[in-house]
Amino acid sequence: MHHVERGSGALFAWPAQSTYIKPPPFLDARLAQSSLRDLKGARALAILGNSITTDHISPISNIRANSVAGAYLQNLGVAPPDFNNYGARRMNHEVMVRGAFANVRLRNRMVDVEGGFTKHQPDGAQMSMYDAAMKYDEKGVPLIVIAGDEYGTGSARDWAAKGTRLLGVRAVIANSFERIHRSNLVGLGVLPCQLPA
């Protein structure tokens, strides 16, 4: 029988080079600050239709080589056949935030293509949601998402709210919300604003 050495101590020794597990950023000072602040100069990251599911917001599918998450993994030396899927890499926030709103069937009405794309404003350049969000973050521009009926339906996927928050989205404005996803947004400090009927 083969003997395996067991670690000891009160804390798990995070393997810094792991592409599967990273210390989560949710207690960092910037993310932990209250979201109850004025929302000024916000830009829309996405304008979406009805029945946007948690899988549209945080896909569980295989990571594609031509995606933002795929580029991130390739830069770390991971070959495309070893990418796996978003579900397997859900303990790496760097992969998951790059996968937020990256479902190939997502239809953002700000652009003429399907997938995780948007238009950065005011220049109008088309780019991935992640790249646009990072450009807005550099300038301190808060983001909103606009949607129709039944936003956040489907499975109660925690990364749908986590990815939204890590992209810098401060509020989601929709006609109606799925109850669990609405609660998850509140828990992550994203304000769900329901339009009057």
Side-chain angles (χ1 to χ4, degrees):
M1 186 171 191
H2 181 69
H3 178 70
V4 178
E5 274 303 316
R6 213 171 47 164
S8 61
L11 298 175
F12 179 76
W14 296 96
Q17 71 283 5
S18 174
T19 59
Y20 277 94
I21 189 166
K22 285 198 155 324
F26 296 106
L27 298 177
D28 292 356
R30 215 177 80 174
L31 282 176
Q33 67 183 333
S34 172
S35 60
L36 298 176
R37 306 184 313 278
D38 287 348
L39 190 58
K40 294 180 179 176
R43 295 278 187 187
L45 182 64
I47 300 173
L48 308 168
N50 296 330
S51 301
I52 298 300
T53 69
T54 53
D55 194 62
H56 286 113
I57 305 164
S58 182
I60 206 78
S61 59
N62 287 335
I63 300 169
R64 295 173 178 240
N66 64 349
S67 68
V68 182
Y72 166 79
L73 289 170
Q74 287 178 79
N75 285 339
L76 294 177
V78 179
D82 299 324
F83 284 177
N84 215 323
N85 58 47
Y86 289 103
R89 293 195 181 268
R90 66 189 308 277
M91 297 301 291
N92 182 339
H93 63 279
E94 296 289 0
V95 171
M96 296 305 288
V97 70
R98 286 163 172 82
F101 295 99
N103 186 307
V104 295
R105 291 183 184 86
L106 182 73
R107 183 73 180 90
N108 181 0
R109 296 176 182 199
M110 296 173 69
V111 292
D112 295 326
V113 295
E114 284 189 330
F117 298 96
T118 192
K119 275 192 181 167
H120 180 268
Q121 300 298 341
D123 57 48
Q126 183 172 299
M127 61 187 68
S128 74
M129 297 259 197
Y130 175 81
D131 290 335
M134 296 305 103
K135 281 185 78 166
Y136 286 126
D137 185 60
E138 287 171 15
K139 302 274 190 211
V141 176
L143 298 173
I144 60 171
V145 168
I146 301 169
D149 298 326
E150 300 174 338
Y151 183 82
T153 58
S155 63
R157 196 166 293 167
D158 59 331
W159 267 105
K162 289 175 179 176
T164 299
R165 178 68 179 92
L166 288 179
L167 285 176
V169 174
R170 295 267 311 279
V172 177
I173 302 165
N175 287 341
S176 61
F177 290 85
E178 192 283 328
R179 180 183 56 82
I180 295 173
H181 183 63
R182 182 185 183 280
S183 295
N184 287 346
L185 289 173
V186 170
L188 266 293
V190 179
L191 184 66
C193 301
Q194 187 161 324
L195 294 167

